[in-house]
Amino acid sequence: MGKNTGFSETGLRRMRDVLTRHVESGKIPGLVALVSRGDETHVEAIGNTRHDGGGAPMDRDTIFRMASTSKPLTMAPVMVLLDECGLRLDDLVQEWLPELADRQVLKRPDGPLDDTVPAQRPITVRDLVTSTFGLGVDLSTMGSPLQAALQEHAVFSQGVVPAPEADEWMRRLGALPLMHQPGERWGYHISHDVLGVLVSRVTGKPFETFLRERVLDPLGMADTGFHVPGDKIDRLPPCYAPHPQTGEFLVWDEAAGGRYSQAPEFQSGGGGLVSTVDDYHAYFRMLLDQGTHGGERILSRPAVQLMTTNRLTPEQESARSALARGAVHVSFGQGQQGGWGLGMAVRTYRGDYAPVGQFGWDGGTGTSAYADPQNRLTGILLMQVGLSTPDPARVIHDFWTTVYQAIED
């Protein structure tokens, strides 16, 4: 690899050596990493799909459960509708989501479900896309009645209880109060699932169908969707959730016969996608290119700028940072450095090797995808090891540390 390719050979070798060391430690069965800058793309596939070595080697076309790294991609079809004036940011969502009309709001986020006051105003599209509609997963109040109800009713159960189809899911959500007044505070995850239902109702099509027509197919993302078809299932590794104390590899989800082996009842925009490093590279490269791909426009330039600019007030940003510090699955990688755009974190201060402006997100199955406009850089790291121990978070951190050292000016 010669000069002016975007990365130094020494830097790439260091990245490969560091990732290999993590795999050889026995804590991570395998991984696939992609780094791209300018016209140069470099991929490393290291290790095995199974921790006991009985699976196939990791490969560039291995398919991964993206978990919360689904969120940045989920936002794209919403932006398509905003671009085409099928939605407006200040539209009231109750026109399409009547379940969210006439909300009640808890007097205290951790209080009884019936101790409420009326919402001060209706929920808007803007509230949903900025994750400030009033309801979210809050690890600081996980024992509260509302957080327990989100789990019990499979509004957010992390797959422990399968979510029902979209209309029933919305009915269950609508039966619960909000935690905060609309527009007041940032709340994690749930808004992205609601946005999938909103897209479906506005377009009259299943969320995945519209996502595929307007985003996945134009970008050539043939391996991305909400399940893995039978003819590709051998490319999906098992997903592990190591025991928090012993580190023993426990299978959270097998490939064949597992929860991603058939189309789900509910297409979770917040965490339900599967994909590959090349598919996600195509998406983040489109965002770096201000909405274009191969001469075709997927999103408008202003839409991409809106997505990748911090949308939070200082008070909302403080609340998001507090959640990030308290949650294993959102406190690693790059995502804790300040702000939030639409569907993704946006770095508002330099807290480690990456500069201000980097955008993307991480996922609880050991996934990380970010782009950096300043360096024209994309990085994607995919594993299938849940964050029940610190090991996958350390891999992600070390990946980004070595990626930034590998940049050749």
Side-chain angles (χ1 to χ4, degrees), residues 16 32 70 94 103 136 150 166 205 227-228 234 271 288 298 332 347 360 376:
R16 181 172 61 249
V32 181
S70 303
Q94 61 199 44
R103 295 288 74 213
L150 292 173
K205 300 176 179 180
H227 80 290
V228 182
D234 61 335
L288 276 185
I298 310 298
F332 60 88
R347 180 177 293 248
R376 298 288 300 162

Side-chain angles (χ1 to χ4, degrees), residues 145-230:
L146 179 56
Q147 296 298 318
L150 292 173
Q151 298 264 350
E152 180 183 339
H153 299 302
V155 174
F156 177 76
S157 69
Q158 296 182 288
V160 176
V161 181
E165 53 80 30
D167 290 346
E168 172 61 16
W169 187 88
M170 280 302 308
R171 188 195 68 76
R172 296 182 189 184
L173 180 70
L176 297 172
L178 302 179
M179 297 168 63
H180 304 286
Q181 290 288 341
E184 185 179 274
R185 285 189 59 163
W186 184 86
Y188 188 56
H189 182 82
I190 292 175
S191 59
H192 298 84
D193 283 345
V194 177
L195 285 169
V197 182
L198 178 65
V199 168
S200 177
R201 291 189 179 175
V202 170
T203 62
K205 300 176 179 180
F207 177 50
E208 184 174 15
T209 300
F210 188 73
L211 174 66
R212 191 165 302 285
E213 289 174 355
R214 302 307 303 272
V215 183
L216 302 183
D217 284 351
L219 290 174
M221 298 174 67
D223 290 323
T224 302
F226 287 102
H227 80 290
V228 182

Side-chain angles (χ1 to χ4, degrees), residues 50-324:
R50 301 192 72 93
H51 84 92
D52 56 9
M58 282 288 182
D59 193 67
R60 185 168 181 161
D61 72 349
T62 298
I63 297 172
F64 294 84
R65 302 160 189 80
M66 299 303 290
S68 286
T69 316
S70 303
K71 291 175 171 65
L73 181 54
T74 287
M75 195 58 63
V78 182
M79 304 311 292
V80 169
L81 291 176
L82 289 170
D83 274 345
E84 297 180 349
C85 302
L87 283 174
R88 300 169 196 87
L89 284 169
D90 293 313
D91 281 345
L92 305 186
V93 299
Q94 61 199 44
E95 176 181 344
W96 302 280
L97 305 172
E99 299 92 341
L100 294 183
D102 304 319
R103 295 288 74 213
Q104 291 291 309
V105 182
L106 291 174
K107 291 181 181 176
R108 290 194 359 250
D110 59 351
L113 294 180
D114 58 356
D115 189 17
T116 62
V117 296
Q120 294 169 357
R121 64 165 176 80
I123 296 168
T124 65
V125 173
R126 187 185 302 273
D127 297 327
L128 283 179
V129 297
T130 56
S131 296
T132 60
F133 84 108
L135 190 57
V137 177
D138 185 350
L139 297 179
S140 68
T141 61
M142 278 312 272
S144 71
L146 179 56
Q147 296 298 318
L150 292 173
Q151 298 264 350
E152 180 183 339
H153 299 302
V155 174
F156 177 76
S157 69
Q158 296 182 288
V160 176
V161 181
E165 53 80 30
D167 290 346
E168 172 61 16
W169 187 88
M170 280 302 308
R171 188 195 68 76
R172 296 182 189 184
L173 180 70
L176 297 172
L178 302 179
M179 297 168 63
H180 304 286
Q181 290 288 341
E184 185 179 274
R185 285 189 59 163
W186 184 86
Y188 188 56
H189 182 82
I190 292 175
S191 59
H192 298 84
D193 283 345
V194 177
L195 285 169
V197 182
L198 178 65
V199 168
S200 177
R201 291 189 179 175
V202 170
T203 62
K205 300 176 179 180
F207 177 50
E208 184 174 15
T209 300
F210 188 73
L211 174 66
R212 191 165 302 285
E213 289 174 355
R214 302 307 303 272
V215 183
L216 302 183
D217 284 351
L219 290 174
M221 298 174 67
D223 290 323
T224 302
F226 287 102
H227 80 290
V228 182
D231 60 350
K232 298 181 180 181
I233 199 72
D234 61 335
R235 293 164 53 193
L236 179 72
C239 189
Y240 296 101
H243 190 283
Q245 278 75 49
T246 67
E248 177 191 357
F249 280 99
L250 305 174
V251 176
W252 177 76
D253 184 47
E254 271 290 0
R259 58 192 79 182
Y260 287 84
S261 64
Q262 53 189 356
E265 284 281 310
F266 183 74
Q267 296 171 352
S268 169
L273 288 171
V274 296
S275 193
T276 64
V277 288
D278 283 301
D279 276 13
Y280 253 62
H281 178 222
Y283 179 64
F284 275 83
R285 182 62 184 262
M286 178 272 290
L287 295 178
L288 276 185
D289 289 339
Q290 297 294 303
T292 62
H293 172 80
E296 181 179 354
R297 182 155 290 284
I298 310 298
L299 298 174
S300 71
R301 180 184 295 265
V304 174
Q305 292 170 340
L306 186 63
M307 294 171 72
T308 58
T309 303
N310 179 39
R311 312 306 312 158
L312 301 185
T313 65
E315 294 77 18
Q316 291 168 337
E317 199 168 310
S318 174
R320 192 190 82 76
S321 297
L323 172 70

